Amino acid sequence: MNTRQPLRPAASPPTEVCVVTADAAFEAREVSIRRAIGELLLVVRESLRLEVVFVAEIVKGRRVFKHVSTSLDASPVQEGGGNPLEETICQRILDGRLPAVIPNVRALIAEQGLSRDHDALGAHIGVPVHMPDGRLYGMLCGFSLGGSIALDERDVRRLEMAAGTTARLLAQADGRETTQTDPALF
């Protein structure tokens, strides 16, 4: 004899479902790598107290912005935009000229030969995004405008975990899903 009772009565299906994030709206039926990365970047941006966080792909010597999360009405970084990699902080982090955390970008502009476009940047943090097969995809970076904020090695580790998750999502989108586990998660 079954004495289990339903927890709630059956309801008619909703007529409309909307899914909204702080950065973008997606249709309920959309299962999207873009959406997942967007939500990940939003969490990173908010937890590190940054105005902009982005994933950039390195393509033929250029940094191309693929995913951007921003709290700004007019962001200096736009999806689809890009510039020569050699002119970027990303390249300097990749080749070791700069550390992953830069408390005050303005203080390094002349020393690093950066353009005056970097004048508005306060703190910057960035790590490489390596695909599960080891190939360099690009960079996951974030920055604040105006004053510097306190970022540390713990924040770098958080960003590295987000970069690993981003790489796995990108691999899934390309049909290169892997079953390898990330040792950083254990």
Side-chain angles (χ1 to χ4, degrees), residues 35-56:
R35 176 181 173 186
I37 292 173
E39 290 175 354
L40 176 64
L41 294 183
L42 173 64
V43 169
V44 168
R45 181 173 56 78
E46 289 180 344
S47 67
L48 297 182
R49 300 166 319 280
L50 300 168
E51 281 89 11
V52 177
V53 174
F54 63 84
V55 173

Side-chain angles (χ1 to χ4, degrees), residues 8 11 51 69 95 123 156 169:
R8 56 188 157 107
E51 281 89 11
S69 175
D95 64 23
V156 173
L169 289 167

Side-chain angles (χ1 to χ4, degrees), residues 48-49 101 103 123 148-152 155:
L48 297 182
R49 300 166 319 280
V101 173
S148 63
I149 58 173
L151 296 169
D152 58 24
D155 297 318

Side-chain angles (χ1 to χ4, degrees), residues 140-180:
L140 171 55
C141 298
F143 59 84
S144 66
L145 298 178
S148 63
I149 58 173
L151 296 169
D152 58 24
E153 285 303 311
R154 192 170 173 189
D155 297 318
V156 173
R157 300 295 167 256
R158 289 181 183 135
L159 203 62
E160 287 172 340
M161 288 193 307
T165 300
T166 298
R168 286 188 296 280
L169 289 167
L170 292 168
Q172 288 174 358
D174 287 346
R176 298 180 193 174
E177 190 172 356
T178 180
T179 58
Q180 292 177 324

